[in-house]
Amino acid sequence: MPASSPDLRSSAARAGAAVRWGKANADDVRRELAAQRISEYLQKTLASAPPLTNEQREKLALLLHGSIPSGGAAA
């Protein structure tokens, strides 16, 4: 996914440089980039969607916590 915001482009450049130069913190920088990409995607998606129900929000929160089984249904 192409970086669209200036902050995201900066993070992508930082991650690329960290990986390219074998920096010890490369995994941390890549993890932060992934979190920023997910955050930006969620913000755009939620801005164009109707309001979510509490149950839908809870399912999404569980997904972010890694608590939903691979079948996708909340326990």
Side-chain angles (χ1 to χ4, degrees), residues 40-69:
E40 188 170 294
Y41 177 79
L42 286 174
Q43 288 174 20
K44 286 180 183 179
T45 302
L46 292 172
S48 65
L52 299 176
T53 65
N54 286 337
E55 182 181 350
Q56 290 167 328
R57 280 188 254 252
E58 288 172 13
K59 284 183 181 181
L60 290 173
L62 287 172
L63 200 130
L64 289 172
H65 286 316
S67 302
I68 294 182

Side-chain angles (χ1 to χ4, degrees), residues 22-37:
K23 298 286 185 172
N25 69 340
D27 285 341
D28 292 335
V29 176
R30 291 175 67 206
R31 188 176 296 111
E32 181 59 30
L33 174 61
Q36 283 182 295
R37 283 182 170 160

